Amino acid sequence: MQYYSTNKQVPPVSLQDAVMKGLAPDKGLFMPEAINPLPKEFFDTIETLSFQEIACRVAGAFFGEDVPAGTLKDIVYDTMSFDAPLVWVTDRICSLELFHGPTLAFKDVGGRFMARLLGYFIRKQGQKNVNVLVATSGDTGSAVANGFLGVEGIHVYVLYPKGKVSEIQEKQFTTLGRNITALEVDGAFDDCQALVKSAFMDKELNERLLLTSANSINVARFLPQAFYYFHAYAQLKRWGRADRVVVCVPSGNFGNITAGLFGKRMGLPIRRFIAANNKNDVFCRYLQTGVYDPRPSVTTIANAMDVGDPSNFARILDLYGHSHAAIVAGISGATFTDEQISETVRNVYTDTGYLLDPHGACGYRALEEGLRPGETGVFLETAHPAKFLETVEGIIGDKVEIPAGLKAFMKGEKKSLPMTKAFEDFKRYLLGKLKVES
Ligand SMILES: *Cc1c(COP(=O)(O)O)cnc(C)c1O
């Protein structure tokens, strides 16, 4: 399968090149030239399949032409070594819990899959010293860093905004050492993302270093996120609740929801999608006005969604042929203040006993307000509430139990390097690393 750039200024490339490059040379995002629908027989029997079996079928539709079936199956089974259960919160809203992976956020799926696929391509090419650059608003860094930890021939640089991620999030990528380096950027997430994008556009850096990106712009991170939408549908079908399904995705860079939209294009019977946002509402405003007007991000308690210029918007536009009407017909939006998010976490906890994290709370609330009669709502619970411990405990006035996996991270010692948001400084640092190595 070939992958074209959404900017269409460069020729299409192979999967391997799309994964290695991350971003297309014309700054566009790679898109597969075809989205292969899955056969009716798959949907007729999907409720009899395990998560891993479903993921293999979906992965085959994306990557089957480019990766041998046995290798792909190993990558999928190794990636999906945890479940994504659907849990009822009310009689018509359920939570797709995507926090059962090693770093307790949905990004484990894409991060682990990408590490393994990139590892396969690097071994195949006999390459050494691949540098993975990843900007994080909180959870990407840990999922990617943990996915790549100890993978030979790869060094990961995690760029994160100083003082804008929770202590637990920070610990998950600053305590690992080995082939993982954390760079603490004096700026916002958008500055981190701009540094990474500039690095890919810089001729000198790319001549001297092999750079790749693990942000949701990378197709190997982004596409596997489709797996769990199919798995959610299978669980609903088992319960006889698969008609009129509405899926609500707490969104920041819009990679997760775009993977769901791909799923729908492959035949997954989801009636409509809702993108739930915090106060960073550029997508909601686009839906209302038809004008995409990116702004600097504002800080909220759902910090992994503090994104002012979501990268994957380019993919959504492309997927819907740049038609505002088509986008509005398929996706609606919702935006919530910190006060509304807190109120939702508190009320749902009091009324049902279910503890939401601030991101999932946006998803739940959008469904509560937006579901129509006869519809069943699924929101993606994108991270475990304990990842936002101070915030969530402050809201509910109660202790949150910390899962054992998370406790282990908290014992580690933070190691990070300070970095300014000036690209020249970042470039000098990367070139300096090269000198030390050679
Ligand atoms: C990354 C993240 C999001 C946003 O996902 P996108 O794919 O960037 O839209 C939402 N919630 C949590 C907890 C996250 O870590």
Side-chain angles (χ1 to χ4, degrees):
M1 175 106 57
Q2 296 281 99
Y3 288 77
Y4 67 89
S5 162
T6 50
N7 284 345
K8 303 198 172 83
Q9 301 299 308
V10 289
V13 300
S14 65
L15 173 65
Q16 176 158 338
D17 285 348
V19 173
M20 299 288 248
K21 286 206 178 79
L23 191 66
D26 62 358
K27 298 200 187 194
L29 277 69
F30 286 116
M31 289 282 275
E33 281 206 315
I35 300 174
N36 296 325
L38 285 156
K40 183 173 176 297
E41 152 274 321
F42 171 68
F43 293 107
D44 285 348
T45 56
I46 193 168
E47 70 277 14
T48 66
L49 304 177
S50 70
F51 188 14
Q52 288 85 353
E53 285 167 338
I54 291 171
C56 276
R57 291 294 297 269
V58 179
F62 288 134
F63 308 120
E65 292 171 26
D66 303 293
V67 184
T71 306
L72 192 56
K73 187 176 176 191
D74 288 347
I75 292 175
V76 167
Y77 273 73
D78 208 29
T79 299
M80 306 305 329
S81 55
F82 47 88
D83 196 17
L86 203 53
V87 175
W88 290 100
V89 178
T90 70
D91 57 3
R92 58 191 207 128
I93 297 179
C94 46
S95 166
L96 179 62
E97 293 188 345
L98 299 176
F99 55 70
H100 296 278
T103 73
L104 289 84
F106 79 88
K107 294 187 175 78
D108 279 326
V109 175
R112 288 164 67 80
F113 189 94
M114 183 191 163
R116 285 155 183 76
L117 189 64
L118 193 61
Y120 162 71
F121 284 138
I122 287 171
R123 278 193 305 280
K124 200 175 131 206
Q125 285 198 330
Q127 230 147 15
K128 289 187 194 77
N129 298 328
V130 176
N131 300 283
V132 173
L133 304 183
V134 57
T136 184
S137 58
D139 292 327
T140 299
S142 50
V144 168
N146 283 275
F148 279 101
L149 184 64
V151 177
E152 221 169 299
I154 298 180
H155 198 103
V156 178
Y157 296 91
V158 180
L159 289 85
Y160 72 103
K162 179 179 173 165
K164 295 199 171 64
V165 304
S166 80
E167 189 192 339
I168 295 178
Q169 287 177 321
E170 190 178 32
K171 287 267 183 179
Q172 286 185 312
F173 53 80
T174 57
T175 60
L176 298 168
R178 297 170 69 184
N179 59 330
I180 312 296
T181 301
L183 300 173
E184 190 169 4
V185 177
D186 198 0
F189 167 70
D190 292 325
D191 297 311
C192 299
Q193 186 148 274
L195 285 177
V196 170
K197 284 189 179 168
S198 300
F200 290 120
M201 294 307 138
D202 189 87
K203 196 158 171 282
E204 188 187 0
L205 270 183
N206 284 276
E207 275 165 11
R208 302 185 54 189
L209 294 170
L210 192 53
L211 298 176
T212 188
S213 152
N215 275 93
S216 58
I217 52 175
N218 195 305
V219 289
R221 247 206 72 198
F222 146 74
L223 289 173
Q225 297 174 159
F227 299 164
Y228 40 71
Y229 291 89
F230 289 83
H231 180 50
Y233 176 77
Q235 294 176 74
L236 285 173
K237 207 171 164 214
R238 238 168 261 156
W239 297 327
R241 295 290 296 268
D243 298 332
R244 292 189 289 275
V245 178
V246 178
V247 174
C248 180
V249 188
S251 295
N253 245 332
F254 282 69
N256 205 7
I257 194 169
T258 306
L261 299 170
F262 269 64
K264 179 163 179 172
R265 203 53 73 85
M266 295 162 86
L268 186 65
I270 291 173
R271 190 178 223 199
R272 61 193 178 93
F273 283 84
I274 304 175
N277 288 124
N278 55 29
K279 275 321 278 174
N280 294 281
D281 61 348
V282 59
F283 185 74
C284 290
R285 281 184 287 111
Y286 166 79
L287 292 176
Q288 279 160 11
T289 64
V291 179
Y292 182 70
D293 178 24
R295 305 209 175 147
S297 59
V298 296
T299 302
T300 76
I301 58 169
N303 65 0
M305 311 197 304
D306 293 351
V307 182
D309 184 5
S311 305
N312 287 286
F313 185 68
R315 286 196 169 113
I316 295 180
L317 277 178
D318 194 274
L319 197 62
Y320 287 89
H322 290 255
S323 159
H324 177 253
I327 292 174
V328 169
I331 318 167
S332 49
T335 163
F336 301 107
T337 63
D338 278 359
E339 291 67 37
Q340 289 173 311
I341 295 170
S342 301
E343 181 186 85
T344 306
V345 172
R346 192 181 310 112
N347 290 347
V348 172
Y349 184 62
T350 311
D351 295 347
T352 72
Y354 194 84
L355 186 58
L356 296 162
D357 94 290
H359 308 80
C362 296
Y364 174 88
R365 182 148 179 164
L367 286 173
E368 193 182 48
E369 293 181 358
L371 270 190
R372 298 172 197 144
E375 289 179 335
T376 298
V378 174
F379 67 96
L380 274 51
E381 183 40 298
T382 46
H384 193 287
K387 288 196 91 166
F388 312 94
L389 198 65
E390 303 83 12
T391 305
V392 175
E393 288 187 341
I395 294 170
I396 62 171
D398 205 350
K399 282 278 167 212
V400 174
E401 201 184 322
I402 303 175
L406 211 45
K407 272 193 196 139
F409 281 113
M410 291 168 79
K411 288 199 201 94
E413 191 200 334
K414 168 184 160 179
K415 286 200 194 79
S416 66
L417 295 169
M419 185 59 60
T420 74
K421 59 184 175 185
F423 176 62
E424 284 314 309
D425 287 336
F426 181 47
K427 179 173 170 179
R428 203 175 311 121
Y429 167 76
L430 287 176
L431 290 174
K433 297 291 288 182
L434 196 66
K435 280 204 195 79
V436 175
E437 276 165 21
S438 57

